[in-house]
Amino acid sequence: MPPLEAYKRQLPYTYALGLYPALQALEQAPHLVSRVLVHSKLSGEGADALYAACAQHKIRTEQAERLLKKLSGKDNCFAAAVCNKQQHDLDPSGNHLVLVHPMDAGNLGTILRSALGFSFLDIALITPCADAFDPQVIRASMGAIFSLRLSEFDSFEAYQNQAGPRKLYPFMLSDDALPLSKAVQHKKSPHSLIFGNEGSGLPAEYATWGQSIKIEQSDAIDSLNLAVSAAIGMYVFSSL
């Protein structure tokens, strides 16, 4: 097999670094896993599960301590799945999470894990944005990305063309923004929860495309972190 490279956005593959993210890749998307890198110190029930999954799906394992350290920058990364990248068409009948220009990899990974927890399985990313296939994002998501349908769009209009008819809920401060607690009482499905960039939020025109929503908070802080805001919005709108 060809030698592996340090991760770059233009590569056709990425890495699920760590035992749990690698297991999630093997369990949720084994068709994307080309091989698994392991450390000689890998042991225990997690190791047994990893080797069993590789055997079940006929996926090659390689002992690669140096490469694991190079890829992760750590001495205690004992496993990694090498995964081919794949985007998915979004389900037009489902509820979507739309992230407009998110730029922080850690935030994005945390949001993806929350999305899986609150059953928002369809994720639209409006570019430019952080690379969802960056190993840092996959690690922060704890492998949740392999259970989600994720697609990138070069504009919000391009997203709308694929998404189908739906109610749009941009989270932003505008003159007609409804408090989240009130807006959810009249929610309609399918719907899209839309969040903007960590620093600049959503452009003003998004207020004209749907019912804008604000998350009530005290005056002690000026805003909430994007990952926190998205988690709150998804939790309140979820049917759990």
Side-chain angles (χ1 to χ4, degrees):
M1 299 185 76
L4 297 170
E5 301 180 42
Y7 181 75
K8 297 186 289 288
R9 192 165 192 158
Q10 59 267 36
L11 287 175
Y13 59 85
T14 185
Y15 302 98
L17 299 173
L19 178 58
Y20 186 78
L23 279 170
Q24 288 299 297
L26 288 165
E27 291 173 4
Q28 303 300 328
H31 61 289
L32 298 180
V33 181
S34 60
R35 50 181 143 167
V36 172
L37 311 177
V38 296
H39 195 285
S40 60
K41 293 183 179 179
L42 181 65
S43 61
E45 293 182 1
D48 295 340
L50 185 79
Y51 286 121
C54 289
Q56 176 186 353
H57 298 292
K58 297 180 173 58
I59 295 171
R60 172 180 171 178
T61 61
E62 301 176 12
Q63 190 167 313
E65 286 90 344
R66 289 184 180 178
L67 182 54
L68 285 169
K69 182 176 181 179
K70 178 181 177 181
L71 294 173
S72 68
K74 300 178 181 179
D75 292 317
N76 61 347
C77 180
F78 293 159
V82 184
C83 307
N84 296 316
K85 297 178 181 178
Q86 184 181 59
Q87 294 193 39
H88 302 267
D89 290 335
L90 305 182
D91 179 1
S93 65
N95 298 322
H96 299 172
L97 176 67
V98 183
L99 303 175
V100 181
H101 311 318
M103 301 307 294
D104 185 273
N107 268 344
L108 180 54
T110 301
I111 292 169
L112 295 180
R113 183 159 177 77
S114 296
L116 180 58
F118 298 128
S119 299
F120 277 79
L121 304 183
D122 293 272
I123 315 296
L125 297 174
I126 310 302
T127 61
C129 63
D131 179 6
F133 297 104
D134 188 307
Q136 183 180 347
V137 175
I138 295 174
R139 176 69 175 174
S141 83
M142 291 302 288
I145 191 173
F146 299 111
S147 298
L148 301 171
R149 292 180 289 270
L150 187 147
S151 188
E152 291 186 355
F153 300 89
D154 59 12
S155 68
F156 187 75
E157 291 80 1
Y159 160 72
Q160 286 183 294
N161 289 337
Q162 182 184 313
R166 59 186 46 251
K167 184 70 173 179
L168 303 178
Y169 294 105
F171 280 66
M172 60 190 300
L173 297 177
S174 64
D175 292 339
D176 65 344
L178 289 178
L180 176 57
S181 57
K182 182 177 180 180
V184 73
Q185 296 175 16
H186 307 285
K187 70 176 181 179
K188 296 180 181 179
S189 292
H191 54 253
S192 297
L193 306 187
I194 309 167
F195 294 86
N197 173 268
E198 291 90 343
S200 58
L202 289 172
E205 61 264 25
Y206 278 77
T208 67
W209 295 342
Q211 175 57 64
S212 53
I213 294 176
K214 58 184 177 182
I215 299 175
E216 303 123 306
Q217 64 184 55
S218 76
D219 295 332
I221 57 172
D222 59 355
S223 64
L224 294 169
N225 171 273
L226 173 60
V228 172
S229 297
I232 292 172
M234 288 187 288
Y235 170 71
V236 172
F237 268 80
S238 73
S239 56
L240 298 178

